[in-house]
Amino acid sequence: MQLVLDLKLKSDATFDNFMPGKNSVIIDVLKAFAQSKGDSYCFLWSHPGNGLSHVLQAVCHQATKNSLESIYLPLSELLVFGADFLEGVDAVPVVCIDDIHLIAGDAVWEEALFHAFNRIHERGHRLVLGAHHAAVDCGFELKDLLSRITWGASYSLLELCDEDKVKLLQQAAKRRGFELSLDIARYLLAHYPRDMRTQLSILEKLDVVSLQAKHKITLPFVKSTLSSSPSLES
Amino acid sequence: METLELSLWERCLGRLQSELSGSLFNVWIRPLRAEIRCQDSQTYLVLLAPNKFVVDWIRQHHLVRIVELINELSSTHSVIVQLEVSSVISPPKEHRASFQDIGASSNVSSETVVSNDFQSNVNRSFTFENFVQGSSNQLAWAAARQVATDPGRENNPMLVYGGVGLGKTHLLHAVGNHILSVNPNAKVLYLHSERFVADMVRALQNHTMDAFKRFYRSVDALLIDDIQFFSGKDRSQEEFFHTFNALFEGKQQIIMTCDRYPKEIKGIEERLKSRFGWGLTVAVEPPELETRVAILMQKAEQANVELLYEVAFFIGKRIRSNVRELEGALKRVIANAHFTGKEITLDFVKDALKDLLYLQDKLVTVDNIQKTVAEYYKIKMSDMLSKRRTRSVARPRQMAMAMAKELTNHSLPEIAEFFGGRDHTTVLHACRKIKELVETSTDIAEDYKNLLRILTT
């Protein structure tokens, strides 16, 4: 079977579509980063669902706007291709590597990332690494790699407060072409996992179901749809 | 003709760029270099990839489309597309001396390479002057300085070993810079051991081993970082062994770094290990508080940021493992201050680094200290908490108390509580005793240093 590699950025994963909440400094740092300003390396970590993959892709979108070539590499999708995959990445001026916690404990991948880091650094290119845990908690066994990862500024992407989550859901609904009432947004947050990845996926599925049913998204519709399709939340 | 064909490749690139996502194009297509070869009136467009992996990938996923496009764009005559691994990679922004850039091309003679085109790749920003010295690295600094003043003589080879992020690479570059300041024409080559391995593999693939050997044996000083990565790579070790011998015999300076004492590296041939120890071997230790503070003050100055001593002291006291981590924390403080427009005060730093500091606190717990110290002295954990006063138990317990005082923010009564509910004056006594012993007994000083390293890295 031939493995299919899809490295396309999500078109809506931009800084404009990101609700910074308490993360405004991080966003400012990354916007500057994508303009070749400030430090050439940083590390971001966050629990899943706080928008880490979104901001890493946003860095690439922003870099493109600034005429810098960039690449987003989610290791969750690339592990199957083997660590050799990282060999040529230092040729790209802006590199964003996501999910690096997944390679912790894998000697071959750890060494490959270590060498890729060194090559990118040596070339004066820019690198952002992203993980679901703080660097010291990822479980890397290669100390050289861990020391490289902690070399730059490291930031944890913080969860949005409820008020911001409601706003974000409403903005996402608007982009999809419908209005999401405050009641529905609060209902979703009160009854389903509160991370934004899950919330946005529920929203997306509600949109699809409502279009198919040709029904407006109302609270009774949401309740009945979600209660009859528990899988919608996953 | 060649120009024409290369423009053909440019047009093909343009089409591929519009067809593929930016990321795919950047990773797989962009690193390809085109070369035109003519043989028996047939034109070949040879696409040179940086490694075999890329060749295989292109062959599987993109070659059919590339051939289609080339056929479409060169309607007047046939061009055969071939894929090959190349030893010539695109040069980085800043020209850096390397075998690929200047040594491996088969149409460049080695004489030309070494006499005219050599541009050192030493990082100019790492010098002896901006290396912050302390008792942890003074010996290594002085030894490196000696080597830089008189390269290729007594202290050849030189090996600097120690944990990660302690300034070994800085010293390598500092030696290189000093040599160049005395003799600007000196051929000083810095490289990571991985580069040596990669160069050798390419040279083998491209049958350019002679050029490889000539290149590496022609330098006046070879600065090679992290030799522990030679571990398990037998062919590279073999080649490095010969390079080493040639340089040594030619009185050309070799300086290496390693993350541990060379004898401790597994997977490296004994004959190579023994050669590593022929000259001067020096260690760098984790910096003590004073040095950490000095490093922070200097890094801040380099970034044109005014850092209060109390702030540097706070960061230095809380982040102990290595210089890179210190630098990372400082960079974050500076970035936060820049983007919030706030002044860097103690409160600001506490807030800016709160998650980082939380992680540090989590790493070094009294419980962890007790376990580590008990393991180090091979006593039972229960003895650590017991009332027994025999020296074999009491000394490790005192050491653990002193470590808890040094590495955590617990008060003395809290620490006493962790040790089986003792009085806080017992902790105070333990700390004083260990301090006194560290100054008078080399064994205790060694134990103290080792435990500090184990607990903070």
Side-chain angles (χ1 to χ4, degrees):
Chain A
M1 189 184 74
Q2 184 170 303
L3 297 167
V4 179
L5 178 72
D6 183 8
L7 288 173
K8 277 184 194 148
L9 296 175
K10 282 188 183 165
S11 59
D12 59 350
T14 61
F15 285 127
D16 288 343
N17 292 334
F18 186 76
M19 174 80 65
K22 293 175 194 161
N23 302 305
S24 54
V25 168
I26 304 177
I27 300 306
D28 287 340
V29 168
L30 293 174
K31 281 181 179 171
F33 177 94
Q35 284 180 66
S36 286
K37 288 182 185 162
D39 294 324
S40 61
Y41 163 69
C42 70
F43 173 71
L44 298 180
W45 67 275
S46 139
H47 298 300
N50 289 349
L52 179 60
S53 300
H54 183 119
V55 295
L56 289 176
Q57 291 179 71
V59 168
C60 292
H61 279 301
Q62 191 74 24
T64 307
K65 269 190 194 170
N66 297 324
S67 308
L68 279 172
E69 287 179 60
S70 64
I71 184 163
Y72 170 69
L73 299 170
L75 294 188
S76 54
E77 291 169 36
L78 301 175
L79 284 180
V80 288
F81 295 103
D84 286 350
F85 195 91
L86 294 178
E87 264 197 28
V89 296
D90 51 302
V92 186
V94 176
V95 181
C96 299
I97 307 180
D98 202 355
D99 307 315
I100 63 161
H101 56 283
L102 294 176
I103 62 159
D106 183 321
V108 175
W109 268 99
E110 284 195 17
E111 196 176 324
L113 182 58
F114 168 70
H115 294 317
F117 187 111
N118 290 338
R119 288 192 302 264
I120 291 168
H121 180 68
E122 207 173 304
R123 283 188 163 212
H125 285 173
R126 304 179 85 75
L127 172 70
V128 193
L129 297 176
H132 284 180
H133 317 284
V136 287
D137 288 340
C138 282
F140 293 112
E141 283 170 9
L142 185 62
K143 286 192 175 173
D144 307 75
L145 173 63
L146 184 59
S147 99
R148 295 304 185 285
I149 293 172
T150 54
W151 201 351
S154 79
Y155 296 94
S156 57
L157 210 55
L158 301 172
E159 195 178 354
L160 292 177
C161 63
D162 276 5
E163 205 178 310
D164 284 338
K165 285 184 179 178
V166 166
K167 276 190 207 160
L168 183 60
L169 282 173
Q170 289 181 319
Q171 282 178 4
K174 207 167 197 170
R175 281 201 302 276
R176 295 185 158 274
F178 68 95
E179 292 290 331
L180 188 74
S181 73
L182 196 59
D183 284 353
I184 300 175
R186 284 183 179 155
Y187 175 83
L188 293 179
L189 283 168
H191 291 83
Y192 294 92
R194 301 156 64 75
D195 70 275
M196 289 317 292
R197 184 179 291 176
T198 308
Q199 289 285 324
L200 289 169
S201 119
I202 293 174
L203 192 76
E204 182 186 341
K205 287 166 184 176
L206 281 174
D207 185 27
V208 172
V209 175
S210 77
L211 281 174
Q212 283 164 353
K214 295 191 173 117
H215 197 293
K216 206 177 162 196
I217 298 180
T218 60
L219 192 54
F221 175 79
V222 170
K223 284 181 180 175
S224 77
T225 307
L226 295 181
S227 64
S228 62
S229 312
S231 64
L232 278 177
E233 64 185 86
S234 59
Chain B
M1 180 69 164
E2 186 163 315
T3 313
L4 186 70
E5 304 306 343
L6 286 175
S7 90
L8 175 71
W9 173 240
E10 292 296 324
R11 281 181 288 148
C12 180
L13 276 180
R15 292 282 292 272
L16 288 169
Q17 192 160 16
S18 64
E19 290 175 11
L20 297 167
S21 79
S23 303
L24 273 181
F25 182 81
N26 282 337
V27 168
W28 303 111
I29 309 295
R30 195 171 175 273
L32 298 177
R33 293 283 169 269
E35 202 174 285
I36 296 300
R37 290 180 199 159
C38 296
Q39 200 175 1
D40 303 331
S41 42
Q42 174 63 55
T43 307
Y44 295 85
L45 174 66
V46 185
L47 299 177
L48 301 162
N51 54 56
K52 188 174 175 300
F53 185 70
V54 175
V55 167
D56 291 344
W57 189 278
I58 298 286
R59 188 167 285 131
Q60 276 180 37
H61 299 85
H62 302 292
L63 190 58
V64 172
R65 183 60 188 146
I66 290 172
V67 171
E68 270 174 19
L69 285 172
I70 293 294
N71 286 339
E72 185 187 323
L73 296 167
S74 62
S75 48
T76 51
H77 58 283
S78 78
V79 176
I80 293 176
V81 181
Q82 283 184 341
L83 273 171
E84 278 181 20
V85 175
S86 163
S87 62
V88 183
I89 60 166
S90 56
K93 267 191 221 163
E94 186 187 335
H95 183 86
R96 301 238 159 152
S98 77
F99 166 67
Q100 295 100 315
D101 293 341
I102 54 182
S105 178
S106 56
N107 58 359
V108 180
S109 74
S110 63
E111 286 73 20
T112 312
V113 168
V114 296
S115 60
N116 297 329
D117 292 349
F118 197 98
Q119 234 182 315
S120 180
N121 61 347
V122 171
N123 186 331
R124 298 286 168 162
S125 60
F126 292 134
T127 63
F128 285 118
E129 289 69 35
N130 63 19
F131 185 88
V132 179
Q133 292 175 64
S135 57
S136 57
N137 57 28
Q138 220 152 27
L139 184 63
W141 183 90
R145 179 97 200 179
Q146 173 64 35
V147 166
T149 314
D150 196 11
R153 303 285 171 178
E154 270 178 50
N155 300 318
N156 196 20
M158 179 183 176
L159 191 141
V160 186
Y161 75 95
V164 293
L166 302 182
K168 301 188 296 290
T169 304
H170 187 136
L171 282 178
L172 273 192
H173 286 288
V175 172
N177 277 317
H178 188 88
I179 293 174
L180 285 167
S181 72
V182 175
N183 175 10
N185 293 323
K187 292 149 206 157
V188 181
L189 178 68
Y190 165 83
L191 78 159
H192 193 270
S193 57
E194 182 238 0
R195 173 63 75 85
F196 185 90
V197 175
D199 281 358
M200 194 205 68
V201 171
R202 283 194 196 103
L204 282 171
Q205 284 168 347
N206 296 307
H207 310 291
T208 52
M209 277 306 284
D210 284 346
F212 171 89
K213 286 175 184 173
R214 276 200 302 273
F215 174 72
Y216 276 104
R217 292 171 197 190
S218 70
V219 298
D220 294 316
L222 179 67
L223 318 175
I224 187 156
D225 221 346
D226 287 329
I227 52 164
Q228 70 273 15
F229 285 101
F230 279 135
S231 171
K233 295 171 179 117
D234 296 345
R235 184 66 179 87
S236 302
Q237 283 180 39
E238 167 87 24
E239 202 46 55
F240 185 66
F241 176 79
H242 295 306
T243 303
F244 183 102
N245 289 341
L247 291 175
F248 184 80
E249 279 161 26
K251 297 199 181 336
Q252 293 140 289
Q253 183 67 46
I254 308 156
I255 311 179
M256 301 164 284
T257 72
C258 187
D259 71 345
R260 68 204 83 167
Y261 190 62
K263 298 261 182 224
E264 293 171 15
I265 317 173
K266 288 178 187 157
I268 287 201
E269 276 189 54
E270 285 305 321
R271 58 178 183 158
L272 203 49
K273 280 190 205 175
S274 97
R275 270 163 178 73
F276 291 161
W278 273 359
L280 180 66
T281 301
V282 282
V284 281
E285 300 287 345
E288 66 287 4
L289 179 60
E290 267 180 304
T291 311
R292 295 200 296 273
V293 172
I295 289 169
L296 285 164
M297 299 296 282
Q298 193 194 63
K299 297 274 177 202
E301 198 185 318
Q302 283 167 358
N304 286 324
V305 170
E306 200 179 329
L307 193 68
L308 298 172
Y309 183 80
E310 58 169 0
V311 172
F313 186 82
F314 174 79
I315 301 173
K317 177 105 179 108
R318 301 297 296 273
I319 294 173
R320 307 174 181 90
S321 57
N322 64 55
V323 180
R324 284 202 186 95
E325 208 167 327
L326 269 185
E327 223 179 319
L330 181 66
K331 281 176 178 171
R332 178 158 161 186
V333 168
I334 293 172
N336 279 27
H338 176 75
F339 286 107
T340 57
K342 289 182 182 166
E343 207 181 321
I344 301 177
T345 62
L346 194 53
D347 285 340
F348 176 82
V349 169
K350 283 180 181 170
D351 188 53
L353 298 180
K354 63 181 175 224
D355 54 342
L356 212 67
L357 298 176
Y358 168 75
L359 288 165
Q360 292 285 332
D361 292 345
K362 207 174 66 168
L363 277 180
V364 190
T365 62
V366 177
D367 187 48
N368 189 22
I369 290 170
Q370 288 171 335
K371 279 181 193 153
T372 308
V373 175
E375 210 171 287
Y376 184 86
Y377 285 109
K378 298 187 172 48
I379 65 164
K380 290 181 199 153
M381 186 62 183
S382 56
D383 285 336
M384 190 61 86
L385 309 178
S386 76
K387 303 281 180 200
R388 284 181 60 200
R389 290 186 178 192
T390 52
R391 188 179 283 190
S392 61
V393 173
R395 192 70 80 227
R397 191 189 296 133
Q398 287 175 330
M399 181 65 89
M401 286 178 181
M403 288 282 151
K405 162 88 178 7
E406 170 70 24
L407 299 176
T408 74
N409 292 307
H410 291 296
S411 64
L412 295 186
E414 281 170 340
I415 294 172
E417 196 56 40
F418 279 110
F419 284 83
R422 289 176 153 79
D423 191 81
H424 80 279
T425 53
T426 311
V427 181
L428 192 62
H429 172 73
C431 296
R432 285 181 182 153
K433 186 74 193 166
I434 294 297
K435 189 169 184 256
E436 178 195 318
L437 288 171
V438 164
E439 282 162 13
T440 54
S441 155
T442 47
D443 285 351
I444 296 288
E446 190 66 22
D447 289 348
Y448 187 85
K449 207 165 61 181
N450 288 341
L451 281 164
L452 212 54
R453 188 175 56 219
I454 294 167
L455 287 162
T456 55
T457 54

